[in-house]
Amino acid sequence: MEKFKGEGVIDFFDKFQTDLDCLEYLAFRKWESGYTCKKCSHRKYTIRKSNFARDCNRCHHIESPTANTLFHKVKFGIRKAFVILFEMSATSKSISSSQMAKRLTIHRSTAWLFMHKVRISMKSSESMPIKGLVTVDEFVFGGQEDLKPGRSNDSKKKKIVAAVETDAKGGIKRAYFKKIDDYSSTSLITIFDTHISTKPKISTDKWSGYKPLMKVYNITQTKSDKGNTFFEMNTIIHQVKSWMRSTFSWMHEGHIEKYLDEYSYRLNRSNYKESIFDNLVCRMIKHQHAGLKDIKLSA
Ligand SMILES: [Zn+2]
C-alpha cells in the first residue's frame, strides 16, 4: 500500500473504490509503525478480512481501523467520509454541509457533524510558532458589515484577530485566526501566545491594545493608511471573509473558530498539496473520537 498523493479526482476514485479500500488505507496508516494490543500489549495479530481489524493473538481483543479515531461510528460509509476529507483538503475552497449532503446523499446534519469533526482535526498543533516576519491585525465579520479592515464595536459582528507570516518578498507563508470578545490586550494576547514566538519582528497598527504586549513581544506599530501598509494582511482578510460569506449561508458565533481553522489548514499547506489528503487522514486517526456533545454548543 502506498500513500495517496496529489489532488487528482480520478486518482482518488481509482484508489478508493469501495469502503473496504478505505478501511485498508486507514489500517495501513494507523499501524504503519507497528501494532500493540490495547488490552494486553501483545504485538502479534491476525488481520480480519472483513474490515482489516487487528485481532490480538493472545487475548483476542479486536481493534477496528476506525476505533479511537475521528472516523469512529461513521454510519454513512467510510468511502463517503473519505470524499468529504478529499473535498475539504485537496480542493481550494471546500463546500457547505448542505451541498456536501446533497452530493453524497446523506442527511444534512450527518454531513454537518462529520465536517466539524474534520475541522477539529484541522486545528493547529500550536507547536510551530511563527519565527519570521509577521503582521497582526483585527477584523469583523457578519452583521451589517462593511468591507473595510479594522475595529468595530457592533455587537452583531464577530471579532477576529489574525496573524499573517510573510517571506522577505511579501509572499504569504502562514495565517492564523482567533475569535476575540473585544480588542483589549488580554484578548489580543491569545494569538501571540498561541502562534507567535517572542523573537520575530511583529507589525501592528497604532491600536493601544498592543502596547502592553510590547514588554514581551518585538512589536513595531505603524499608522494604518487605509490598508496600504498591511497589504498581505488585507489580502488574507478579504479572502477569508469572502470564503465564509460565499460558502456558508449562516455561521454560529460559537463555531466560527472551527471554520477559521479549516481555512488556515488549507492555506498553510498550499505548498504541500501533494500530501494534504494523507496528512488529514492521519490527523483524523491520531485524534480521539469526538461525538455530538463535543461539538454542539452548550449554550
Ligand atoms: Zn491482546
Side-chain angles (χ1 to χ4, degrees):
M1 172 81 57
E2 281 185 11
K3 286 180 201 171
F4 179 81
K5 284 186 184 155
E7 300 157 77
V9 68
I10 303 287
D11 295 342
F12 178 84
F13 285 109
D14 277 351
K15 188 165 176 78
F16 303 110
Q17 297 187 11
T18 62
D19 283 344
L20 204 58
D21 291 339
C22 302
L23 287 167
E24 188 178 9
Y25 196 80
L26 285 184
F28 156 61
R29 295 307 269 136
K30 187 177 188 181
W31 292 299
E32 199 181 23
S33 52
Y35 159 87
T36 308
C37 173
K38 289 263 189 301
K39 288 268 186 289
C40 77
S41 301
H42 192 62
R43 308 201 64 158
K44 293 217 168 70
Y45 59 90
T46 312
I47 298 174
R48 293 213 149 190
K49 287 205 177 93
S50 61
N51 66 350
F52 290 93
R54 265 44 176 171
D55 185 341
C56 171
N57 281 1
R58 187 197 279 159
C59 76
H60 292 290
H61 170 68
I62 294 165
E63 184 180 337
S64 77
T66 57
N68 310 308
T69 76
L70 283 173
F71 292 103
H72 185 59
K73 287 194 175 161
V74 164
K75 296 262 195 325
F76 54 93
I78 208 76
R79 188 171 179 240
K80 288 183 178 180
F82 266 44
V83 174
I84 293 179
L85 258 68
F86 186 73
E87 189 75 51
M88 291 177 77
S89 59
T91 67
S92 58
K93 288 193 164 70
S94 189
I95 52 178
S96 68
S97 56
S98 48
Q99 275 181 291
M100 194 73 89
K102 275 182 214 158
R103 278 204 201 174
L104 295 176
T105 56
I106 56 177
H107 201 276
R108 201 195 83 84
S109 60
T110 307
W112 181 88
L113 178 64
F114 186 73
M115 286 174 84
H116 269 325
K117 289 184 185 180
V118 178
R119 289 183 190 108
I120 288 176
S121 80
M122 286 172 156
K123 188 175 162 55
S124 162
S125 65
E126 300 172 3
S127 59
M128 282 166 47
I130 298 173
K131 291 185 175 134
L133 293 170
V134 54
T135 308
V136 177
D137 203 1
E138 331 82 41
F139 63 97
V140 289
F141 180 73
Q144 289 296 313
E145 62 161 329
D146 52 32
L147 295 173
K148 287 178 200 147
R151 290 168 290 275
S152 159
N153 286 311
D154 182 338
S155 61
K156 287 196 187 105
K157 295 179 185 179
K158 296 146 181 125
K159 301 173 187 72
I160 296 156
V161 58
V164 174
E165 180 185 15
T166 47
D167 58 29
K169 290 177 185 163
I172 292 156
K173 290 175 80 177
R174 283 190 285 172
Y176 296 106
F177 308 92
K178 283 252 175 224
K179 189 180 142 313
I180 46 176
D181 294 331
D182 53 47
Y183 305 112
S184 67
S185 46
T186 6
S187 295
L188 292 169
I189 201 167
T190 54
I191 200 154
F192 286 78
D193 286 350
T194 320
H195 293 298
I196 309 173
S197 133
T198 50
K199 292 196 181 76
K201 186 173 171 279
I202 304 162
S203 308
T204 70
D205 63 13
K206 293 261 186 190
W207 173 242
S208 59
Y210 292 111
K211 292 223 156 55
L213 313 183
M214 290 165 108
K215 286 178 210 139
V216 181
Y217 292 95
N218 179 12
I219 296 173
T220 308
Q221 293 197 303
T222 320
K223 192 171 180 291
S224 173
D225 53 351
K226 289 203 180 75
N228 292 331
T229 322
F230 300 105
F231 179 76
E232 292 82 12
M233 171 59 83
N234 291 327
T235 307
I236 289 291
I237 292 176
H238 176 74
Q239 284 175 0
V240 73
K241 281 170 128 183
S242 76
W243 173 69
M244 292 199 291
R245 212 183 298 115
S246 62
T247 313
F248 309 100
S249 52
W250 186 77
M251 196 174 271
H252 191 290
E253 182 155 6
H255 289 304
I256 195 163
E257 223 167 74
K258 291 199 196 79
Y259 293 97
L260 294 165
D261 286 342
E262 177 186 341
Y263 189 84
S264 290
Y265 178 82
R266 268 193 306 271
L267 177 83
N268 297 352
R269 279 160 195 78
S270 353
N271 294 328
Y272 308 96
K273 283 283 190 175
E274 275 286 291
S275 57
I276 195 166
F277 171 78
D278 178 68
N279 175 275
L280 192 54
V281 170
C282 291
R283 280 171 166 249
M284 294 284 290
I285 291 171
K286 285 190 188 112
H287 209 289
Q288 283 292 311
H289 166 62
L292 187 59
K293 65 173 169 32
D294 303 307
I295 288 160
K296 256 195 172 169
L297 301 164
S298 46

